Amino acid sequence: MAYEEIKRKLRGSIAPVVTPFKANHEVDYEKQSELIEFQLENGSHGISVTGTSGEPSSLTTEERVKVMENAKKTINGRVPFAPGTGSTNHDETIYLTKKAEEMGVDAAMVIVPYYNKPNQEALYKHFKTVADSVEIPIIIYNIPGRTAQNLEVSTMARLVKDCPNIVGAKESNKDFEHVNRVMLYCGRDFLLYSGIELLCYPMLAIGGAGSISATANVEPKKVAELHNAWEEGDITHAQDLHFELMKLNDVLFKDTNPAPVKAALGMMGKIEPVLRLPMGLPSKGLQEEISETLKEYDISAQHV
């Protein structure tokens, strides 16, 4: 299977859409479809679900499959679709990745297993086994702040060398030196996405493919526009958007993602602001700050 076409297509702002719940905590598939339409109307270049913003550890395996299926149906081929299929359980990761392949997704995003803290050799074996189990492109998701383990550059490069379908990585890694070395040792055609909001613009400067930013849930148009400006060579506009988005980025990460994002979407009238325990909404004070910030950005927000 050739992967050049997906490397050409899967670029820009890949919006990691939240999983909306009803007041009774059931998954709201109708709202999920509306959120995806909101993304497409505002220029997002691709869609992901069941990544960190999608609360996958709060979903059953069956719910994760249904969320992916509903997203695939809603997108209907209009933009690339790269759902998160990883978990802390190896067999479950393979099962979900195979399910994604059966659905015809464009790529699967597989997170470094969380909580377990595997060593580098175990991580290599985990990702290689997953990649070997399917033919679809794999995007490694490295987020050491939430998995308690960093996928080292040498391990990433080894996987890219041994697994032709590992085509990229979402790096939610604040160590920008690490990110630069990933690009160097994995190759300049490696699809490198920023998962750190304040590094979305700097990542483009070193040849990154785009971003998978939780902020796109709330302000999809400007997050996508930043990438468009860079591609068009309008560096000043891209820089302006980078700094313009900074305050919104900051407030949306003053509590654990996706709690502030869901609070914001609730204020915007997009969803019921519901998370499943053990996750919960931000404090009253932070919700008020989010509300004020949305008003500053001229994003429709109801008073808390």
Side-chain angles (χ1 to χ4, degrees):
M1 183 176 182
Y3 301 104
E4 287 75 15
E5 180 65 14
I6 194 62
K7 286 188 173 185
R8 185 187 66 79
K9 291 196 312 178
L10 199 57
R11 308 181 76 86
S13 173
I14 314 300
V17 178
V18 302
T19 302
F21 298 123
K22 300 176 182 179
N24 65 0
H25 293 86
E26 292 180 359
V27 177
D28 192 331
Y29 296 100
E30 183 178 347
K31 285 293 182 187
Q32 184 201 18
S33 295
E34 291 175 7
L35 290 176
I36 291 170
E37 292 294 345
F38 173 61
Q39 291 297 323
L40 301 184
E41 290 164 7
N42 283 278
S44 291
H45 305 99
I47 299 292
S48 183
V49 297
T50 58
T52 302
S53 298
E55 295 174 78
S57 60
S58 296
L59 302 173
T60 66
T61 303
E62 292 74 19
E63 285 173 330
R64 289 186 65 171
V65 172
K66 287 183 67 176
V67 166
M68 289 192 292
E69 288 175 337
N70 188 62
K72 179 72 167 57
K73 180 180 177 182
T74 303
I75 296 164
N76 194 28
R78 288 177 286 174
V79 296
F81 177 41
T85 59
S87 83
T88 194
N89 182 286
H90 179 71
D91 288 342
E92 182 181 52
T93 299
I94 291 176
Y95 171 79
L96 288 168
T97 307
K98 285 183 173 180
K99 281 289 184 183
E101 181 175 47
E102 290 170 11
M103 292 175 206
V105 306
D106 296 283
M109 187 169 64
V110 182
I111 195 169
V112 170
Y114 37 91
Y115 181 76
N116 292 331
K117 292 187 70 175
N119 61 38
Q120 295 299 308
E121 183 62 24
L123 285 172
Y124 170 83
K125 291 177 179 177
H126 169 71
F127 279 106
K128 187 174 189 309
T129 305
V130 173
D132 287 348
S133 73
V134 294
E135 292 188 357
I136 56 171
I138 299 294
I139 297 167
I140 292 173
Y141 182 11
N142 190 30
I143 179 169
R146 298 200 50 162
T147 63
Q149 184 63 290
N150 184 45
L151 187 68
E152 294 177 2
V153 175
S154 58
T155 308
M156 185 93 72
R158 184 181 171 200
L159 283 163
V160 171
K161 176 179 177 291
D162 294 345
C163 306
N165 60 330
I166 294 182
V167 300
K170 175 183 177 181
E171 278 285 355
S172 293
N173 198 320
K174 293 185 177 181
D175 182 352
F176 201 56
E177 290 187 13
H178 166 94
V179 169
N180 276 268
R181 291 190 174 95
V182 167
M183 201 71 180
L184 174 63
Y185 291 105
C186 292
R188 298 283 288 278
D189 64 340
F190 191 62
L191 298 177
L192 188 61
Y193 306 93
S194 178
I196 298 292
E197 277 59 27
L198 267 61
L199 294 182
C200 290
Y201 171 73
M203 197 85 88
L204 294 174
I206 63 167
S211 63
I212 305 176
S213 164
T215 302
N217 280 282
V218 176
E219 184 59 289
K221 188 173 184 179
K222 288 183 178 178
V223 174
E225 188 180 341
L226 190 157
H227 185 87
N228 294 340
W230 174 264
E231 288 292 315
E232 293 162 7
D234 192 346
I235 305 305
T236 299
H237 187 42
Q239 290 173 337
D240 288 345
L241 285 165
H242 168 71
F243 288 107
E244 181 182 342
L245 286 165
M246 192 174 292
K247 186 173 181 180
L248 180 61
N249 287 329
D250 285 346
V251 78
L252 291 178
F253 282 85
K254 287 192 174 183
D255 196 352
T256 305
N257 181 46
V261 168
K262 279 197 159 181
L265 288 169
M267 295 169 197
M268 295 163 64
K270 298 290 185 186
I271 64 169
E272 289 286 336
V274 176
L275 296 96
R276 286 178 175 174
L277 291 171
M279 298 291 288
L281 286 170
S283 68
K284 185 77 170 178
L286 180 52
Q287 289 189 52
E288 290 171 353
E289 186 177 350
I290 292 167
S291 178
E292 291 302 313
T293 303
L294 293 181
K295 284 185 278 187
E296 287 181 34
Y297 280 79
D298 199 27
I299 298 171
S300 177
Q302 302 168 6
H303 288 287
V304 178

